[in-house]
């Protein structure tokens, strides 16, 4: 019972509201007629007034259901009014006609008014009032719906902010591990001793750019794909110098996909996973290929390596970086995003992400 009330709280609240209005109207009618020429009993006052409010209590779930259905379709205000107007007129006619018929059935003996007189009188004095009631019910429904949307969006934003912070810190942790810094600085030292100054400067600049991006993007949730690719390229340049002949990489991005927004730090954990797990046993000929294409309103991102393959790589599928990636995609896109680890043709692993391009996260 408690679960039903919680799930249908809006309907229950409005039903109780109609009941209270009906009771208030009945008591008011009783007090007004009590001092008149034809006083009525309290029971007859309730009989005359409550049915009208109970009818509105029955209309209300139908009106709210229509409003909720149309608001999810994101139609314009003019379209909403055009859809509601004929239904509002029908409900107002039904309610007004019922009031006329019901009042006519309770008329006193010897009344000189016919049924048409009641119908005409109620249409003239109550029809517009029923339209106003319909608009109020629909407005209350929209208000509750937008309130719920706002709360859900706020909750998603808070969850996403936390996950983005965790992803940034995890990426920093992966890059700033002592062995990574030692190997990178050792590579720079070797380049300087060989008088390969330009390459050393390039490596230092790449490391600086990478760290600067990670530290400065604390409040960024979505970035253009071209910016994410630039970050990954800096990372691969550093790793390429450190791995030397053990690693080659290629990046292929569809020009139509470069401006599509993607979660910040989306690809870097996938590349890190390919290098640390996929190519860890490769002495030579390690390859990493990154591709991005836009197809049928979806962005397809793939990070492929030619390493030890998916069977040996299963442990990484539940690692912090990949688990964080799955959670962020679920928070941002729900069931619209897909994330797969697949065997690559000829050996190795493909990490594939499919994102909708039509979702707005502003």
């Amino acid at each position: 019972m408690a679960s039903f009330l919680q799930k249908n709280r809006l309907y229950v609240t409005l039903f109780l509201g109609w009941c209270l209005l009906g009771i208030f109207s009945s008591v008011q009618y009783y007090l007004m007629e009590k001092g008149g020429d034809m006083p009525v009993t309290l029971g007859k006052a309730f009989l005359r007034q409550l049915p009208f409010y109970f009818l509105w209590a029955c209309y209300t779930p139908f009106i709210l259901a229509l409003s909720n259905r149309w608001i999810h379709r994101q139609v314009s205000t003019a379209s909403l009014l055009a859809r509601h107007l004929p239904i509002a007129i029908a409900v107002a006619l039904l309610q007004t006609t019922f009031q006329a018929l019901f009042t006519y059935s309770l008329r006193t003996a010897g009344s000189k008014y016919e049924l048409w007189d009641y119908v005409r009188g109620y249409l003239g004095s109550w029809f517009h009032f029923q339209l106003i009631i319909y608009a109020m019910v629909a407005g209350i429904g929209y208000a509750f719906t937008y309130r719920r949307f706002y709360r859900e969006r706020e909750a998603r934003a808070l969850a996403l902010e936390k996950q983005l912070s965790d992803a940034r810190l995890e990426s920093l942790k992966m890059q700033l591990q002592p062995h990574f810094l030692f190997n990178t600085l050792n590579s720079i030292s070797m380049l300087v001793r060989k008088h390969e100054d330009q390459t050393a400067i390039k490596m230092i600049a790449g490391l600086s750019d990478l760290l600067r991006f990670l530290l400065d993007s604390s409040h960024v949730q979505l970035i253009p794909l071209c910016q994410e690719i630039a970050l990954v390229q800096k990372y691969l340049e550093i790793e390429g110098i450190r791995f030397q002949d053990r690693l080659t990489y290629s990046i292929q991005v569809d020009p139509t996909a470069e401006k599509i927004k993607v979660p910040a730090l989306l690809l870097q954990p996938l590349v890190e996973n390919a290098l640390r797990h996929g190519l860890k046993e490769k002495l030579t000929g390690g390859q990493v290929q990154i591709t991005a294409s836009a197809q049928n309103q979806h962005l397809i991102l793939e990070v492929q390596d030619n390493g030890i393959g998916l069977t040996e790589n299963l442990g990484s599928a539940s690692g912090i970086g990949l688990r964080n990636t799955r959670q962020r995609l679920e928070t941002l896109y729900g069931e619209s995003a897909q994330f797969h680890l697949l065997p690559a043709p000829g050996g190795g692993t493909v990490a594939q992400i499919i994102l909708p391009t039509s979702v707005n996260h502003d």
Side-chain angles (χ1 to χ4, degrees):
M1 183 65 178
S3 176
F4 173 83
L5 293 177
Q6 180 67 22
K7 185 177 180 180
N8 301 277
R9 182 172 55 183
L10 176 59
Y11 298 114
V12 173
T13 301
L14 290 177
F15 179 82
L16 294 177
W18 283 120
C19 291
L20 290 175
L21 284 175
I23 294 173
F24 175 80
S25 179
S26 300
V27 173
Q28 185 183 44
Y29 177 75
Y30 167 75
L31 293 176
M32 289 177 59
E33 297 295 327
K34 183 178 181 180
D37 297 330
M38 300 179 63
V40 296
T41 63
L42 184 60
K44 183 171 288 188
F46 279 104
L47 179 63
R48 286 180 176 272
Q49 298 297 315
L50 282 181
F52 308 143
Y53 292 91
F54 283 146
L55 268 182
W56 271 112
C58 294
Y59 301 149
T60 295
F62 171 74
I63 298 172
L64 295 181
L66 287 179
S67 301
N68 189 59
R69 179 181 180 183
W70 290 336
I71 198 173
H72 277 88
R73 294 184 178 181
Q74 297 182 346
V75 298
S76 63
T77 302
S79 180
L80 281 177
L81 292 176
R83 295 183 182 199
H84 274 293
L85 184 58
I87 299 177
I89 292 175
V91 170
L93 284 173
L94 179 63
Q95 179 72 1
T96 305
T97 303
F98 174 81
Q99 286 183 274
L101 291 172
F102 188 78
T103 306
Y104 176 77
S105 67
L106 296 178
R107 71 189 186 284
T108 57
S111 173
K112 62 180 181 178
Y113 297 106
E114 299 296 333
L115 175 60
W116 171 245
D117 296 321
Y118 282 89
V119 173
R120 183 174 55 188
Y122 272 95
L123 285 175
S125 58
W126 287 95
F127 178 78
H128 65 284
F129 186 66
Q130 308 301 332
L131 291 177
I132 294 174
I133 295 177
Y134 181 98
M136 291 175 61
V137 172
I140 291 173
Y142 284 124
F144 272 85
T145 300
Y146 279 116
R147 179 170 174 265
R148 187 180 74 250
F149 283 174
Y150 174 79
R151 286 188 171 183
E152 291 175 353
R153 184 175 182 178
E154 187 177 39
R156 287 196 300 268
L158 290 174
L160 180 60
E161 182 178 354
K162 181 181 183 302
Q163 291 177 5
L164 181 63
S165 176
D166 291 342
R168 186 178 65 257
L169 292 175
E170 174 60 23
S171 185
L172 277 171
K173 184 182 71 174
M174 287 189 293
Q175 304 308 318
L176 295 178
Q177 288 176 358
H179 74 271
F180 172 82
L181 282 179
F182 174 81
N183 291 333
T184 303
L185 294 175
N186 184 57
S187 299
I188 294 174
S189 176
M190 291 177 60
L191 290 171
V192 171
R193 283 197 293 267
K194 293 179 180 179
H195 303 289
E196 298 181 17
D197 298 339
Q198 293 301 320
T199 305
I201 291 173
K202 183 179 180 181
M203 191 171 186
I204 294 172
L207 178 61
S208 175
D209 291 341
L210 180 62
L211 297 180
R212 186 182 301 112
F213 177 87
L214 295 173
L215 293 172
D216 292 345
S217 61
S218 58
H219 301 294
V220 178
Q221 296 181 351
L222 297 173
I223 61 175
L225 176 62
C226 58
Q227 188 174 341
E228 178 74 6
I229 291 294
L231 168 69
V232 171
Q233 189 164 4
K234 289 290 185 183
Y235 172 71
L236 282 171
E237 287 175 358
I238 295 173
E239 294 293 335
I241 296 172
R242 188 165 67 86
F243 277 79
Q244 296 183 355
D245 296 336
R246 292 178 56 201
L247 172 65
T248 60
Y249 66 88
S250 65
I251 300 176
Q252 300 176 1
V253 180
D254 184 348
T256 61
E258 291 182 348
K259 300 301 181 182
I260 297 176
K261 295 291 186 70
V262 298
L265 307 177
L266 178 65
L267 292 176
Q268 192 277 332
L270 306 184
V271 177
E272 174 78 10
N273 188 71
L275 296 178
R276 295 183 60 182
H277 299 281
L279 303 181
K280 64 180 180 179
E281 304 295 336
K282 299 282 288 188
L283 299 178
T284 60
Q287 297 178 0
V288 173
Q289 182 178 358
I290 301 172
T291 60
S293 60
Q295 302 177 17
N296 300 323
Q297 297 185 338
H298 286 82
L299 176 65
I300 302 177
L301 303 171
E302 292 185 348
V303 177
Q304 178 176 337
D305 65 67
N306 65 337
I308 57 180
L310 189 59
T311 301
E312 298 293 335
N313 221 12
L314 284 175
S316 65
S318 60
I320 296 176
L322 298 188
R323 184 170 65 249
N324 184 280
T325 298
R326 293 184 187 276
Q327 292 174 350
R328 292 177 63 206
L329 291 177
E330 182 179 353
T331 300
L332 272 170
Y333 302 97
E335 297 181 355
S336 300
Q338 301 177 43
F339 179 29
H340 307 290
L341 289 177
L342 307 170
T349 305
V350 177
Q352 182 187 72
I353 293 177
I354 302 177
L355 305 177
T357 59
S358 58
V359 179
N360 183 8
H361 301 290
D362 295 336

